[in-house]
Amino acid sequence: MEKIIVVGAGLCGTLLALRMAQRGYQVVVYERRPDQRKSDFVGGRSINLALSNRGLRSLEMVGIKDEILKDCIPMHGRMIHSLSGESWHSPYSGRKQDYINSVSREELNMSLLEAADKFDNLTVHFEVKFQKVDIEQAHIEFVDKDGNHKSDKAAIVIGTDGAGSVVRKSLMGQTTKLLFNYSQDFLSHGYKELSIEPGEAGAFKIEKNALHIWPRGKFMIIALPNLDGSFTVTMFHPYEGEYGFNTMVSDEDIVDCFEKQYPGLIKYMPNYLNEYKQNPVGTLGTIRCYPWQAYGKTLVMGDASHAIVPFYGQGMNAAFEDVFVFDEVLNEYEGDWSKVFTAFQDRRKADADAIADLAVDNFYEMRDHVDDLAFKEKRKLEMNLEQEFENYYSKYSMVTFKEELSYFDAKKKGRKQDELLLELCKANRHKELSLQEINSKVNQLNS
Amino acid sequence: MEKIIVVGAGLCGTLLALRMAQRGYQVVVYERRPDQRKSDFVGGRSINLALSNRGLRSLEMVGIKDEILKDCIPMHGRMIHSLSGESWHSPYSGRKQDYINSVSREELNMSLLEAADKFDNLTVHFEVKFQKVDIEQAHIEFVDKDGNHKSDKAAIVIGTDGAGSVVRKSLMGQTTKLLFNYSQDFLSHGYKELSIEPGEAGAFKIEKNALHIWPRGKFMIIALPNLDGSFTVTMFHPYEGEYGFNTMVSDEDIVDCFEKQYPGLIKYMPNYLNEYKQNPVGTLGTIRCYPWQAYGKTLVMGDASHAIVPFYGQGMNAAFEDVFVFDEVLNEYEGDWSKVFTAFQDRRKADADAIADLAVDNFYEMRDHVDDLAFKEKRKLEMNLEQEFENYYSKYSMVTFKEELSYFDAKKKGRKQDELLLELCKANRHKELSLQEINSKVNQLNS
């Protein structure tokens, strides 16, 4: 069977490699970082992700969904913490079976690598420094971990090497020839990770089964639960202006921010000042490009072709869905890589753009609107609609729990529906109408 | 007085250098290409530009407007050539004094360099290969035309080095630190230049004082007059599909295209087949970025910060207007480069984005709609309105002839107005209403 090279053994690359190995290809994966399973992995702080239906469908495809779910913590809704100290739970869906799953990036990546190890036709090389990708020849040059200059060649190269993708940069190197469209857009906010330590005997100090938000209008903090009872806490603040990462310089500035804005949170984080000072600020950006393929020889997938901001919890799910769609396309066109690549990018580009837009929208919703009266009323109404009508899905539910609907359609339908419901709630008309009448209005929108 | 380095002695860079020399700065300009005035410049084919009010205002600022206008050919409107062989003239404005000017890029650039030569505090170095721009230190490294490695340092560096700007790439090299937003977007069409040779004794074979268009729906050809009686002819065709640059391979394909699509034109171009085969295809792209400055030390201007497609004839005019706005900003903040740069980009970014959008719009208008019945009616109506009412400006006139209105406002007002008038014409209601009534409706839109 044909040989394929995968560049990057992150979440998307490893899942892709696994699926391609299952399909019988000879798969060689090259990864810049060391093997996390062999390096001294120190527990504690970890990046958390929210695994939901689209990602789960792809894990099911390769047969490891149930195994992965064992390492997840269900989150049934948002726990919102107001400045005055109140908190309330806003479910993600009116349907009990619809929830998202907090999972550690490292754990998940290691599980995927374990699953990949079982295939004789799949090899992963770690600690490889890329020198050059010849996108026309599917030929790569690199320095291996012992410092030897090497090269490899295959039928195709697929770049799953994330937002900073070297494979995408090689496509961009042929801008004029490929008419390569590209954009990078940063939010004026960055993020910083902090943590809530586990309580005694691994107890959760705040509600375990929720995604916590401390929305403060122009900025916010969120927290996701970890298996050991800790929470990964992420601050999303602007770089400049009031409480900006660049403007909070002294200890006093930082303490003042937390005491004034997050008084209810810091009692769980005695060490927040040190963590704040030690941990770096990360940027939040959206990357788009097109074409995703060149010459039927090179393709980019996942964050390498569509990196998004994290506010819909869909970055990983979208990357996993890429693998699902790629598998579907292979079922149709296997044997002709040009057709496979072209069909893949045609089918997937609009969806990648849609989830990128939705993720930016959700940033404004989370930091700001979740605390609005009309917004809260709308969420309540949506819960009632979801409980009452099998065919009703909120925008959030369409994106998160309705994997058979594309991101593109979810965005289009979801935005129209949001507009209608928010208008009703703002005008207080939702109380005059029956749920049945409101659901009819929604159905009319979509017909 | 302070020293400033300008990278690129094209149209924008030379005008900027000239203005800065007039303001008393010590200006050093570095240019990659040879001095056009000393190289064997072969007449004949040349890229033509349409110089209009915004550009002229900037030339007036440096005192060379009248001199430049001597080398221009006024174009009072579009001469549209239909497939069936008819042609008609569509004026750019209902006001006689409003027209655009066909000018050769080379001639204009040389005139600017001549004007620059008169200043002792302005030096231009040609044939310089850039190695590195240190955007934090305003320090550049380069190889001069004799092969010597050199460097230079100044208070500031301004990059006016066009769409492929090395200065912009240096800003992009600090993507994370600067939160550098960037996009490049290509049309699926390219362009190729051909020519109509002058007639006997420099006679113009087709109407001299017009911009000619052969609109064909999915593609088009345009022609602009040169002083020597020739016309620069530009084909805008898709790369792929029917009559695409990549799909027309054999002589037969090319001849078939011209005979079927441009039968009235080829009688003036006996040599079109050879020209078609000899001349390259260029790409058509839009480049946007932000910020345009870093550290109050480095700034990009003109195409380097906002390259646009050529369909509004505003690329050069926008670049010249940059220099005008920069001069205004200097009047306010001279002495503090950080403030100057920040105020400049704040004031100018929305305008650069607006003209980029308008230029893409106009591509669709020129190749397609100029030949529509409703569109023609709307243009007639607009001419009448412009003749009748001093305060009425079509979108085209706002962009082209109303330099005191920003591109941003021209886009906003112009689009609304276009929508209204086109609706009236499509519904045939423009004949029921008086000009006065229609003008009132337009005024209501803008109030």
Side-chain angles (χ1 to χ4, degrees), chain B residues 159-230:
Chain B
T160 49
D161 48 343
S165 174
V166 295
V167 180
R168 187 190 66 234
K169 282 174 190 161
S170 302
L171 294 175
M172 194 150 165
Q174 294 199 15
T175 281
T176 309
K177 222 164 155 189
L178 300 174
L179 298 179
F180 192 73
N181 291 341
Y182 172 79
S183 74
Q184 54 184 42
D185 279 292
F186 293 92
L187 295 184
S188 54
H189 285 60
Y191 73 95
K192 188 190 277 277
E193 290 201 345
L194 309 169
S195 62
I196 296 174
E197 295 293 308
E200 297 219 352
F204 290 84
K205 291 181 182 164
I206 54 178
E207 166 60 37
K208 174 185 176 184
N209 294 111
L211 187 151
H212 296 262
I213 313 182
W214 291 260
R216 297 295 181 262
K218 297 287 174 205
F219 40 84
M220 68 171 167
I221 280 180
I222 69 168
L224 277 80
N226 297 313
L227 284 176
D228 66 355
S230 68

Side-chain angles (χ1 to χ4, degrees), chain A residues 172 175-177 179-189 239 283-284, chain B residues 172 175-177 179-189 239 283-284:
Chain A
M172 195 149 166
T175 281
T176 310
K177 219 163 158 190
L179 299 178
F180 192 72
N181 291 342
Y182 172 78
S183 73
Q184 55 185 44
D185 280 292
F186 293 92
L187 295 184
S188 54
H189 285 60
Y239 284 94
T283 57
L284 297 163
Chain B
M172 194 150 165
T175 281
T176 309
K177 222 164 155 189
L179 298 179
F180 192 73
N181 291 341
Y182 172 79
S183 74
Q184 54 184 42
D185 279 292
F186 293 92
L187 295 184
S188 54
H189 285 60
Y239 285 94
T283 56
L284 297 163

Side-chain angles (χ1 to χ4, degrees), chain A residues 15-85:
Chain A
L15 182 69
L16 173 71
L18 193 53
R19 185 57 182 166
M20 296 306 277
Q22 288 177 339
R23 293 187 76 110
Y25 290 94
Q26 189 201 335
V27 185
V28 188
V29 187
Y30 293 96
E31 167 60 41
R32 195 172 42 82
R33 292 165 301 179
D35 189 343
Q36 299 154 314
R37 294 166 299 173
K38 289 173 190 164
S39 63
D40 291 332
F41 178 64
V42 184
R45 274 200 326 116
S46 68
I47 297 168
N48 285 61
L49 301 164
L51 179 59
S52 54
N53 292 30
R54 292 172 199 271
L56 288 167
R57 181 172 60 165
S58 302
L59 293 174
E60 192 166 37
M61 173 181 69
V62 297
I64 58 170
K65 179 179 123 177
D66 293 335
E67 192 188 322
I68 298 296
L69 277 176
K70 284 180 201 150
D71 292 332
C72 294
I73 298 177
M75 298 184 290
H76 297 280
R78 296 166 172 167
M79 182 68 80
I80 296 157
H81 303 266
S82 76
L83 186 54
S84 57

Side-chain angles (χ1 to χ4, degrees), chain A residues 367-424:
Chain A
R367 67 170 202 190
D368 205 353
H369 305 143
V370 287
D371 214 0
D372 282 356
L373 195 64
F375 183 85
K376 284 190 223 171
E377 285 291 307
K378 170 174 160 285
R379 282 303 292 165
K380 264 189 232 162
L381 175 59
E382 290 195 302
M383 293 307 104
N384 293 336
L385 286 164
E386 290 194 331
Q387 277 159 9
E388 195 73 18
F389 304 105
E390 214 183 321
N391 69 340
Y392 181 84
Y393 281 81
S394 72
K395 185 177 77 182
Y396 185 87
S397 288
M398 289 184 216
V399 170
T400 311
F401 306 122
K402 204 168 192 293
E403 63 272 22
E404 66 277 16
L405 191 72
S406 72
Y407 283 130
F408 180 81
D409 287 335
K411 174 184 155 187
K412 211 171 64 176
K413 286 189 182 180
R415 280 192 174 170
K416 274 198 279 183
Q417 191 171 297
D418 270 1
E419 240 173 77
L420 171 75
L421 296 180
L422 204 57
E423 247 170 60
L424 288 179

Side-chain angles (χ1 to χ4, degrees), chain B residues 139-338:
Chain B
H139 180 271
I140 66 165
E141 292 173 33
F142 58 93
V143 179
D144 75 6
K145 63 176 162 185
D146 304 314
N148 304 310
H149 284 261
K150 288 195 173 172
S151 68
D152 198 1
K153 193 173 171 12
I156 55 162
V157 170
I158 303 185
T160 49
D161 48 343
S165 174
V166 295
V167 180
R168 187 190 66 234
K169 282 174 190 161
S170 302
L171 294 175
M172 194 150 165
Q174 294 199 15
T175 281
T176 309
K177 222 164 155 189
L178 300 174
L179 298 179
F180 192 73
N181 291 341
Y182 172 79
S183 74
Q184 54 184 42
D185 279 292
F186 293 92
L187 295 184
S188 54
H189 285 60
Y191 73 95
K192 188 190 277 277
E193 290 201 345
L194 309 169
S195 62
I196 296 174
E197 295 293 308
E200 297 219 352
F204 290 84
K205 291 181 182 164
I206 54 178
E207 166 60 37
K208 174 185 176 184
N209 294 111
L211 187 151
H212 296 262
I213 313 182
W214 291 260
R216 297 295 181 262
K218 297 287 174 205
F219 40 84
M220 68 171 167
I221 280 180
I222 69 168
L224 277 80
N226 297 313
L227 284 176
D228 66 355
S230 68
F231 285 82
T232 303
V233 175
T234 313
M235 285 185 81
F236 296 98
H237 273 232
Y239 285 94
E240 307 298 339
E242 201 182 21
Y243 302 122
F245 287 122
N246 292 346
T247 39
M248 289 193 280
V249 179
S250 67
D251 287 12
E252 288 68 36
D253 293 341
I254 301 162
V255 170
D256 179 65
C257 168
F258 279 83
E259 289 186 345
K260 287 212 175 112
Q261 296 296 328
Y262 307 110
L265 174 59
I266 52 178
K267 62 184 171 200
Y268 306 115
M269 303 202 301
N271 199 28
Y272 77 88
L273 182 60
N274 282 334
E275 280 194 324
Y276 184 94
K277 290 195 285 181
Q278 274 159 29
N279 295 345
V281 178
T283 56
L284 297 163
T286 303
I287 288 176
R288 302 174 202 248
C289 68
Y290 202 81
W292 291 351
Q293 76 91 31
Y295 311 106
K297 284 285 177 185
T298 301
L299 177 73
V300 280
M301 208 186 266
D303 280 7
S305 54
H306 51 85
I308 65 179
V309 295
F311 304 105
Y312 229 108
Q314 286 293 321
M316 168 187 59
N317 291 291
F320 281 0
E321 196 172 63
D322 276 2
V323 180
F324 188 87
V325 173
F326 190 69
D327 192 67
E328 282 184 335
V329 171
L330 271 177
N331 290 340
E332 288 175 55
Y333 300 111
E334 196 155 35
D336 184 338
W337 288 118
S338 243

